[in-house]
Amino acid sequence: DQIAMQLLNAPRRGEPWVADLLREAGRAAKRRGAAESAVSFLRRALEEPPPEEQRTDVLLELGLTETLTSAPDALEHLGQAYQVLDDPVRRAQAAHELARLWLFTDTPEKGAAIAREAAAALPPEEEDARLKLEAMQHMAVYFGAGDLESVAAMEKHREGIEADGEGARMVEAMTAYSWMLQAGPADECAKLALRSLEGGLLIDRDDTFLVVAAQAVLVNADREEAMIHWEEVRAAAHRKGSLFSVLGLDLWLGWTLLARGDLIESERLIRQSVEENESWGIIAGPGAAYVFGILAQTLVERGDLAGAEEALAQWPVVRGTTDGENHVRRGRMELALARGETEDALAAAEDYATHGAYILNPAHAPWRSLKALALDRAGRTEEAIALAEDELASARAFGAPRALGRALRVLGILRRDQGLAELEEAVRVLERSPAKLEHAKALAAHGALLRRERKPSDAREPLRQALELASVCGAESLADHARSELYASGARPRSEALSGVEALTPSELRVAELAAGGESNKDIAQGLYVTPKTVEVHLSNAYRKLGIRSRRELAGALG
């Protein structure tokens, strides 16, 4: 390392030993997670230059390492390597990474095409390499490249793939994902997703791209294993120094916390991913659409409608059926509904329904219930109820609590005084779900209907619980609504949120548990890859909610 650092500033003389030493230093730096140092050493090795017969190898090594830190640089060097590589296996390796990078730019079609081209050139015995490229082709469909009907070919993998290797696990992850989008049984989809994560092959890769597909299945199925795997992804991403994996983790963990109702931490993580996305070098394309769409959804739930509008302004034009663009459409739809803008909501609903109809699972894309709410605002309640009933059927087929509870809640709201049974079932279903925000919404709708039915005494308890849960989640608009309903029922709600362990957000609880176990703030910050200030804020909130004053009291308060 000391010699390599000297060589970074030494004159370029074309000495073979210099290129060899710098390449070895680059590999060592990459192994210990110093990705930027590895890139510096490998770039200098390329500039030496190395012997001509080694130049392609250096280009490939450099490009693969740059995928961790800079998409534009990786595209340049991997593209050069791909053009001159003659070994089909190594070409497939370069093609896999190029395909992944192109999916995040404005050229996902190039990604799908290069994956097909490289797969066709592989010899028969290279089955795992072929499976990797097959998984990338399937993922490209959701980035707007390829035919959605081709996804049906993955049905043959629903029982899993007997082969070992990363390629088999990648295809299993994509199969579970596509099955989930079609509202296959949640338990079966989750079983396949968990199989793809067994052994840690996908998590230990330099990129965790396909891990997101498996995790999306687990999150939508309301499985607690998702949180465990996110911790493993975080550790692997920081161990390898992969900016790409970190930005993906922050975005999709933020999305996970949005689904679970931890809105404050969700917003923090997603805003962090915006900056990381810019640092990685991709500020346009289908990948960036996810960031701004999910951020807008989070801000609507927080009650920050101006912030949601600002986020959506970062992605003003949506034309295709990509999953990322549909997240933007969902954000627009929810913003229009929150503002009470009926005409805008109807227009956004038609756009979302037209481009999102291929997703049947409301856990991932509730376009039918959102459109139903817009139709109801426009006085077209019969159409709205039919659409909500259709979404409820899909939610029952999938079987996960969050999706089912949401569908029941919306249908109950649309049926007015005839919707009590649906709202009661929604509350029961969501009691066993990690989705605190959706549970709060169901409680608020249930209590509001009881209040309108002139049963104020019955209404107060669900409304009180809704207010407390909404406050814990950071859902200020919902908390205001529940508080207003409580006043209308004749109650005088407390201004403070629920206290005790139940009041803690998942992030606050995690930090409190670690502190109760004797870890210092610095150790907690390092272990969770957050700043010490973040740890202090979480602990301060935990002390207040638990009614304690010091760290010594944490263990007893947590039970």
Side-chain angles (χ1 to χ4, degrees), residues 61-144:
E61 281 185 63
L62 174 58
L64 291 172
T65 306
E66 286 171 332
T67 62
L68 304 176
T69 60
S70 171
D73 292 339
L75 280 168
E76 177 187 351
H77 293 122
L78 284 174
Q80 292 176 22
Y82 184 78
Q83 293 302 318
V84 294
L85 281 166
D86 51 15
D87 176 18
V89 177
R90 296 171 71 215
R91 285 197 97 208
Q93 184 183 18
H96 181 273
E97 296 304 320
L98 282 169
R100 175 170 65 88
L101 294 170
W102 275 328
L103 293 189
F104 283 85
T105 69
D106 288 323
T107 55
E109 296 81 4
K110 288 177 69 174
I114 199 170
R116 285 194 299 271
E117 176 184 87
L122 283 169
E125 64 272 14
E126 296 295 337
E127 182 61 18
D128 197 64
R130 194 186 327 278
L131 287 171
K132 288 181 184 178
L133 294 167
E134 179 184 335
M136 200 56 63
Q137 290 174 68
H138 291 316
M139 179 59 88
V141 171
Y142 300 108
F143 280 76

Side-chain angles (χ1 to χ4, degrees), residues 184-379:
D187 287 344
E188 293 300 312
C189 295
K191 179 181 177 182
L192 184 58
L194 288 168
R195 177 187 171 95
S196 74
L197 296 172
E198 282 179 6
L201 282 177
L202 296 189
I203 292 173
D204 287 339
R205 282 179 53 80
D206 283 350
D207 72 85
T208 51
F209 185 42
L210 271 299
V211 171
V212 170
Q215 285 286 82
V217 176
L218 298 179
V219 172
N220 284 327
D222 297 323
R223 298 292 290 260
E224 287 294 337
E225 294 97 326
M227 297 303 292
I228 297 171
H229 286 303
W230 281 136
E231 290 299 322
E232 294 171 353
V233 170
R234 182 182 296 280
H238 285 272
R239 186 172 65 248
K240 294 176 179 296
S242 172
L243 177 59
F244 173 76
S245 294
V246 169
L247 74 87
L249 168 74
D250 285 344
L251 171 62
W252 291 106
L253 178 54
W255 171 76
T256 300
L257 296 179
L258 168 62
R260 295 169 68 94
D262 187 354
L263 299 180
I264 297 171
E265 184 69 1
S266 172
E267 180 185 348
R268 184 188 73 81
L269 286 169
I270 297 169
R271 287 194 183 280
Q272 201 164 281
S273 78
V274 172
E275 299 175 5
E276 292 158 348
N277 208 60
E278 292 174 353
S279 296
W280 193 57
I282 298 296
I283 56 174
Y290 281 106
V291 179
F292 297 115
I294 296 173
L295 176 59
Q297 294 166 40
T298 304
L299 293 174
V300 169
E301 297 288 12
R302 293 276 285 132
D304 182 1
L305 304 189
E309 182 177 24
E310 183 180 345
L312 292 169
Q314 303 300 312
W315 202 263
V317 180
V318 283
R319 299 189 181 93
T321 60
T322 73
D323 193 40
E325 288 176 307
N326 282 332
H327 274 287
V328 173
R329 291 186 175 96
R330 177 174 176 176
R332 289 180 175 177
M333 178 83 234
E334 291 177 344
L335 178 60
L337 286 171
R339 285 179 165 170
E341 299 169 344
T342 302
E343 293 303 317
D344 287 347
L346 278 173
E350 289 298 330
D351 185 40
Y352 189 20
T354 298
H355 295 90
Y358 68 94
I359 298 177
L360 301 181
N361 191 341
H364 195 79
W367 56 269
R368 283 164 293 189
S369 58
L370 287 171
K371 183 177 180 180
L373 291 170
L375 289 169
D376 182 59
R377 295 269 183 92

